[in-house]
C-alpha cells in the first residue's frame, strides 16, 4: 500500500522525525482555514499518489489564507495520472538552506534493508544514481540486529559532508527512519528532500511510505489508510476475497483463473489470438463453492464482456468445489455468454461431471491456448 | 537421487491438523511420501491419517531423522513455525502459505542463512519428483512418472499447466519446483539452476517467470557467467499486463519498466536461453528439442 503524502508525514512525524506544520483540507474553504491557522507563507499540495506534482501545477506557494483558497480552488478536481484531486495538504513553507536525501528500502534479492543517504536531495534518487553514483552512501543492515548503532549514520552523513549539529540531527533521522521501516513493515520509507533550514533545523519536507499489504492485519493504525478501489467490481471482488483487475474498456473476454501466473498467461494468450480481455479475476487459493459462484457473477457484470474463460486447476483448490460453484452461478444468474472451462487436478472427474450436466465445453487436456481459441471462435459465432 | 526430495526424504508437516494440512498430508501419503510426523502446538498426541502429531519440532526430530519441513500454517504463524524448524536444523523448509508478511520472510531468510538451512517459498505449490515423492499441493496425476526435464516456476498453477501438457505429449519431467510468488523467496531461479547444474537426471530446465522483480534477470546473468551444461527454456507470464497495475494475489507488478516481460526475455535470450511467447509455444519448443536432439544426446550417453 502506497501512502499519501499526508499519511506518510503523519507516520514519519509519529516516529519522532520533524515534519513541517501542516493541515489536511477537503475543500478550498478548509484550505483557507488551514493557512490561517498556520499563519506563515505556505504550500498547497495536491494529495495524489503519482509523482511530478510540481510540474503539473499541483503544488502552489501561497502568501496567505486568501491565496490558499484560490490555489486550492484551482487544484481541486484536477486529474493527475488518472487520479482526481480530492484532498490538499496545506503546509508551512520551509526556508531551505540545503536539501538532503535519506531512505530505507527493502532489497528483495538480498532480503535485507538498505539505507541510502545522499547530500543531493530534492531530485529523483535514480537520477543521482545515474549521474553521480558516488554521491549515494549505501548501508546494508542485518535484519537480525536489534539496534543499529548510531555511529553508522554519523559516519555515512559525515562521508557526504555534514558536520556539527546538522550531522547529529541527520544521523538521528536515519536511525528513526530505520526503526519506522521495521515498525510499519515497509517496502520503502523515503524522505526526499530532508531539508536543512536557514535556522539549522532538519525537517522532512516530503515523505514516501510503501507498506506491505500482507502485514496490515497487525497494523490497525494503518488499516484506515486502506482505500477501496473506485471500481465497483474490484470492490465487490475484494469483499468476496478474490482479486478482480479491469484490463481494457474495449475488452470483450472475461478471464477467471487460479493464481496470478496462470491469470496473466491466460491474458497474454487472449491478446495473442486477437481477443481483448475486459478483466481478469484471480481466485487465489482455497476458493469455496460460494466464492466461485460469486466470482463468476462478478465477471458477468463486466461491461462489454461477451465470453468467459475459466482456467483453473485443482491443486490448492478443488475441481469439484469449483464446478459446483459454476453450477450455482448458472442457477442464480442468467448466463447468456459463451463460457469455456479448462479444468483439471484434484477431484477432476467429479468436477467434469457437474460441468457436463451444464453442457459447458471443457478442455480436459490441452493448453490454455486451445481453450482461448475455442472461446474466441464461440464469441465470433 | 533427486534434488531436495525423493523416496527416502522424511517429511514433517507443520499445520497438519488444519483442513488443508490434513487433506494434502493424505494425498502425500497416498503417493508414498514418508510423512513421519505433524507438528501443531497444542495438538500433540493427535494422530492424523496414522501420522503422529507433536507439539514441537524438537519432539519430531528426536524421534525421526527429518529432512524437510513443509509449512502450511496461516500467514501470521509462519514466522514462528519456520524459526522452530531452523532452530532444530531441519535441512530444508518449504513454506506453502501465501500472504506471509514480507518482513517475516526477511528475518526467516537471515536466520536460515546463519544456520545453513535451505528455504523454498513462501507462496509456493511445493516440489515434486514425479514417480518418487512430493511435498506440496500439486495433483500428482498431472505430473507423470519421471523424465529428464526440470521445471522451475514462480507460479504454482503454471507448474500444473506446463507439466500436464508436457506429459500429454509424451515428455516426462523429473522435478518440478515452485519457487514461490512472493517478493522475497528462499530459493531463487539462480539457486535452482546452480542445484541442477550437475544433476545427471536433468537434461533441460524450463524457467517460468512473471513480470516484476529481477530474479529472471539475475538468472540470465548467472547463465551467462557459467558454461551451463543443460538446455534452458523460458516463459514469462504477463507480457500484456498494463503497467503499474497489481496483477492478482501474488502482486506481480511492473514499475517504471523494470521487470517487464520483454526486458526479462531479452536478457534470457542473450544468455542463450530458448525464449517462448506462450504456454503452447513453450511446450512446442520443448517438444521439438525432445524429438530432435534429445535422442541423440541419450545415444551419446549410452
Amino acid at each position: 500500500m502506497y501512502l499519501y503524502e499526508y499519511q506518510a508525514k503523519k507516520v514519519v512525524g509519529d516516529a519522532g522525525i520533524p515534519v513541517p506544520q501542516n493541515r489536511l483540507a477537503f475543500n478550498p474553504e478548509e484550505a483557507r482555514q488551514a493557512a490561517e491557522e498556520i499563519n506563515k507563507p505556505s504550500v498547497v499540495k495536491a494529495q495524489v499518489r503519482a509523482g511530478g506534482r510540481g510540474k503539473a501545477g499541483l503544488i502552489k506557494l501561497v502568501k496567505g489564507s486568501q491565496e490558499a483558497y484560490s490555489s486550492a480552488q484551482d487544484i481541486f478536481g484536477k486529474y493527475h495520472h488518472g487520479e482526481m484531486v480530492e484532498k490538499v495538504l496545506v503546509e508551512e513553507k520551509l526556508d531551505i538552506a540545503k536539501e538532503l536525501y535519506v531512505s530505507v528500502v527493502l532489497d528483495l534479492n538480498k532480503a535485507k534493508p538498505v539505507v541510502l543517504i545522499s547530500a543531493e536531495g530534492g531530485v529523483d534518487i535514480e537520477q543521482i544514481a545515474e549521474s553521480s553514483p558516488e554521491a549515494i552512501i549505501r548501508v546494508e543492515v542485518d535484519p537480525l540486529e536489534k539496534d543499529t548503532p548510531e555511529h553508522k549514520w554519523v559516519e555515512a552523513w559525515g562521508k557526504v559532508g555534514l558536520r556539527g549539529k546538522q550531522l547529529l540531527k541527520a544521523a538521528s533521522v536515519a536511525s528513526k527512519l530505520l526503526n519506522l521501516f521495521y515498525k510499519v513493515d515497509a517496502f520503502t520509507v523515503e524522505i526526499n528532500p530532508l531539508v536543512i533550514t536557514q535556522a539549522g533545523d532538519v525537517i522532512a519536507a516530503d515523505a514516501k511510505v510503501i507498506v506491505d499489504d500482507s502485514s496490515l492485519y497487525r497494523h490497525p493504525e494503518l488499516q484506515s489508510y486502506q482505500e477501496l478501489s473506485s471500481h465497483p467490481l474490484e470492490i465487490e471482488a475484494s469483499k468476496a476475497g478474490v482479486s478482480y483487475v479491469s484490463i481494457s474498456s474495449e475488452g470483450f473476454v472475461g478471464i477467471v483463473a487460479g493464481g496470478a501466473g496462470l491469470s496473466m498467461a491466460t491474458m497474454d494468450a487472449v491478446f495473442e489470438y486477437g481477443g481483448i480481455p475486459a478483466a481478469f479475476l484471480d481466485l487465489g487459493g482455497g476458493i469455496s463453492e460460494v466464492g466461485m459462484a460469486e466470482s463468476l457473477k462478478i465477471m458477468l457484470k463486466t461491461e462489454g464482456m461477451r465470453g468467459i474463460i475459466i482456467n483453473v486447476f485443482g491443486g490448492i483448490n478443488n475441481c469439484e468445489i469449483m464446478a459446483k460453484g459454476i453450477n450455482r452461478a448458472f442457477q442464480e444468474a442468467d448466463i447468456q455468454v459463451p463460457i469455456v472451462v479448462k479444468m483439471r487436478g484434484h477431484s477432476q472427474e467429479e468436477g467434469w461431471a457437474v460441468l457436463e450436466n451444464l453442457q459447458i465445453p471443457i478442455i480436459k487436456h490441452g493448453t490454455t491456448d486451445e481453450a482461448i481459441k475455442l472461446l474466441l471462435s464461440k464469441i465470433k459465432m | 537421487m533427486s534434488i531436495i526430495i525423493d523416496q527416502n526424504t522424511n517429511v514433517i508437516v507443520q499445520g497438519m491438523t488444519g483442513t488443508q494440512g490434513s487433506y494434502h498430508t493424505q494425498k502425500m501419503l497416498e503417493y508414498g511420501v514418508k510423512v513421519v510426523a505433524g507438528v501443531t502446538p497444542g495438538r500433540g498426541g493427535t494422530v492424523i491419517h496414522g501420522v503422529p502429531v507433536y507439539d514441537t519440532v524438537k519432539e519430531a526430530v528426536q524421534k525421526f531423522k527429518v529432512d524437510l519441513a513443509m509449512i502450511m500454517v496461516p500467514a501470521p504463524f509462519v514466522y514462528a513455525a519456520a524459526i522452530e524448524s531452523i532452530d532444530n536444523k531441519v535441512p530444508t523448509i518449504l513454506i506453502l502459505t501465501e500472504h506471509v508478511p514480507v518482513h517475516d520472510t526477511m528475518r526467516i531468510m537471515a536466520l536460515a542463512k546463519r544456520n545453513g538451512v535451505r528455504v523454498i517459498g513462501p507462496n509456493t505449490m511445493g516440489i515434486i519428483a514425479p514417480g518418487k515423492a512430493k511435498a506440496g499441493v500439486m495433483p500428482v496425476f498431472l505430473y507423470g512418472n519421471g523424465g529428464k526435464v526440470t521445471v522451475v516456476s514462480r507460479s504454482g498453477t503454471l507448474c500444473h499447466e506446463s507439466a500436464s501438457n508436457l506429459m500429454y505429449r509424451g515428455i516426462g519431467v523429473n522435478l518440478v519446483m515452485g519457487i514461490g510468488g512472493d517478493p522475497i523467496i528462499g530459493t531463487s531461479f539462480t539457486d535452482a539452476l546452480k542445484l541442477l547444474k550437475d544433476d545427471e537426471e536433468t537434461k533441460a530446465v524450463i524457467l517460468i517467470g512473471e513480470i516484476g522483480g529481477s530474479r529472471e534477470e539475475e538468472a540470465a546473468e548467472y547463465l551467462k557467467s557459467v558454461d551451463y551444461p543443460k538446455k534452458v527454456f523460458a516463459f514469462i507470464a504477463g507480457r500484456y499486463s498494463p503497467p503499474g497495475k497489481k496483477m492478482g494475489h501474488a502482486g506481480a507488478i511492473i514499475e517504471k519498466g523494470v521487470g517487464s516481460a520483454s526486458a526479462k526475455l531479452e536478457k534470457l535470450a542473450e544468455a542463450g536461453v530458448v525464449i517462448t511467447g506462450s504456454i503452447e509455444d513453450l511446450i512446442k519448443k520443448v517438444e521439438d528439442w525432445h524429438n530432435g536432439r534429445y535422442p541423440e544426446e541419450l545415444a551419446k550417453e549410452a
Side-chain angles (χ1 to χ4, degrees), chain A residues 170-188:
Chain A
S172 158
V173 169
S175 167
K176 285 170 178 161
L177 199 62
L178 179 62
N179 290 340
L180 175 66
F181 171 85
Y182 287 131
K183 184 177 164 251
V184 298
D185 279 283
F187 280 115
T188 299

Side-chain angles (χ1 to χ4, degrees), chain A residues 223-298:
Chain A
Q223 282 164 14
S224 63
Y225 291 164
Q226 241 181 326
E227 288 216 3
L228 286 178
S229 154
S230 54
H231 194 292
L233 294 181
E234 287 181 6
I235 298 169
E236 219 177 304
S238 135
K239 281 181 189 155
V242 295
S243 149
Y244 177 101
V245 180
S246 118
I247 303 289
S248 168
S249 54
E250 289 140 41
F252 55 89
V253 179
I255 299 165
V256 175
L262 187 65
S263 299
M264 287 192 287
T266 309
M267 180 177 62
D268 293 346
V270 170
F271 275 115
E272 200 67 26
Y273 294 103
I276 302 174
F280 85 59
L281 189 147
D282 177 1
L283 299 167
I287 191 79
S288 66
E289 180 183 327
V290 172
M292 182 73 204
E294 285 308 308
S295 298
L296 196 49
K297 281 153 73 180
I298 290 167

